[in-house]
């Protein structure tokens, strides 16, 4: 007999960094999980420990093509999310954001499923408002090297809200700020994984610009909790809602903390700042606190210790 509280949940990009943690959490919560991934940036290593679970299923599929299945909820996480990966094939990145959104929205419409969109703080571009509230429309270069991701995600949000208005679809949109933790790709070019790997190898730590640009860093478990709380809100609350840690650190402060926690002898080296790299990025999470009762609980130092342990194990086994 089917458990009435057990949902069938599709996670696109489920073998990626965030997706694999979401798969794990939803299985722990007692649901059936279908993980869909084309393995462009995701890896089976992230989900191999779930393969023996009878409530977990893996499907190799690219969301730029339609998918015909039956589920109760959809989490659309599929898209390369680091500059190195999304700039490798920018046309495919835009297709994944836009065609992928169209295909998943079409599926949700057909089967009457609730659907979650993993949007991004990149929709704010290089912001002129600080910290960034959801009402801020952003300051985005539509023709730059980051535009495939920034504008792709902005268009996906447009599609979600038009499906809501035109077809009364049940949607949830989260704007994700910098997130870190175990299972980050070691070569994804993100600042946390870059610094940790360089520190553990004793290599110079590369800082772009003067290191005074700021970021906020959210531990992955906190973010996944935000996802689930947003998905479980009443249908009249759609978002977009910022999910991130409002604690703000300069890139140099992050580098120095990683060196201290790893005991590394790495030195800092400074290189030219890439174009369109934002100088400030910090979420205003008042809406998430009000509507979801959510705020991150893992301090940066504690999260870094867990992340460093993961990369130490990865480098040891390589």
């Amino acid at each position: 007999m089917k458990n009435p509280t057990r949902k069938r949940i599709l996670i696109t990009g489920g073998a990626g960094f965030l997706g694999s943690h979401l798969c794990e959490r939803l299985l722990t919560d007692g649901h059936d999980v279908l993980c869909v991934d084309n393995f462009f940036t995701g890896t089976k290593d992230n989900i191999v420990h779930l393969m023996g679970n009878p409530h977990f299923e893996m499907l190799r599929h690219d969301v730029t093509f339609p998918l015909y299945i039956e589920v109760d909820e959809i989490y659309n996480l599929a898209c390369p999310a680091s500059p190195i990966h999304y700039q490798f094939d920018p046309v495919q990145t835009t297709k994944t954001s836009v065609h992928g959104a169209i295909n998943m929205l079409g599926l949700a419409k057909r089967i009457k499923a609730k659907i979650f969109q993993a949007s991004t703080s990149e929709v704010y571009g290089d912001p002129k408002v600080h910290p960034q509230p959801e009402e801020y429309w952003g300051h985005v270069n539509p023709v730059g090297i980051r535009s495939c991701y920034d504008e792709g995600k902005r268009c996906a949000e447009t599609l979600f809200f038009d499906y809501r208005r035109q077809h009364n679809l049940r949607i949830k949109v989260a704007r994700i700020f910098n997130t870190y933790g175990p299972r980050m790709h070691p070569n994804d070019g993100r600042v946390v994984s870059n610094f940790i790997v360089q520190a553990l190898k004793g290599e110079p730590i590369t800082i772009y610009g003067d290191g005074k640009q700021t970021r906020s860093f959210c531990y992955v478990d906190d973010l996944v909790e935000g996802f689930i709380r947003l998905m479980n809100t009443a249908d009249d609350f759609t978002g977009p809602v910022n999910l991130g840690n409002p604690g703000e650190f300069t890139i140099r402060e992050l580098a120095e903390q990683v060196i201290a926690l790893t005991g590394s002898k790495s030195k800092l080296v400074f290189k030219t700042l890439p174009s369109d790299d934002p100088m400030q990025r910090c979420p205003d999470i008042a809406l998430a606190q009000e509507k979801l009762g959510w705020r991150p609980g893992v301090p940066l130092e504690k999260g870094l210790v867990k992340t460093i342990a993961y990369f130490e194990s990865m480098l040891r086994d390589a």
Side-chain angles (χ1 to χ4, degrees), residues 13-21 35 37 41-43 46-47 183:
F17 162 48
L18 297 181
S20 63
H21 283 277
C35 167
D37 208 295
T41 56
T43 169
N46 287 341
I47 55 169
R183 300 186 209 139

Side-chain angles (χ1 to χ4, degrees), residues 12 47 61 65 81 86 90 123 127 147 163 174 181 186 199 211 215-216 224 238 256 260-261 304 313 316:
T12 72
I47 55 169
H61 180 82
F65 297 93
Y86 66 63
V123 301
S147 307
Y163 265 79
R215 294 292 185 272
S216 59
V224 167
T238 59
E256 290 168 347
L261 291 172
L304 285 175
S313 174
R316 191 168 55 244

Side-chain angles (χ1 to χ4, degrees), residues 18-19 21-26 28-29 75 77 116 174 176 179-180 218-233 241-244 288-289 291-298:
L18 297 181
H21 283 277
L22 181 59
C23 287
E24 199 170 64
R25 169 64 188 272
L26 290 170
T28 300
D29 289 352
Y75 285 84
L77 274 59
F116 173 104
I176 302 167
T179 305
Y180 70 100
C218 185
Y219 189 66
V220 62
D221 291 354
D222 283 335
L223 186 77
V224 167
E225 175 67 23
F227 283 5
I228 290 168
R229 289 191 184 205
L230 175 57
M231 194 61 135
N232 291 337
T233 54
V241 59
N242 290 335
L243 294 179
Q289 289 179 273
K291 297 293 188 179
L292 314 181
W294 177 89
R295 67 172 298 115
V298 180

Side-chain angles (χ1 to χ4, degrees), residues 119-121 124 132 175-180 216-218 223 241-245 281-285:
S119 191
T120 172
S121 60
Y124 298 123
Q132 293 83 59
R175 291 176 177 164
I176 302 167
F177 284 69
N178 289 55
T179 305
Y180 70 100
S216 59
F217 301 101
C218 185
L223 186 77
V241 59
N242 290 335
L243 294 179
N245 193 320
R281 186 60 64 68
C282 181
D284 180 331
I285 61 166

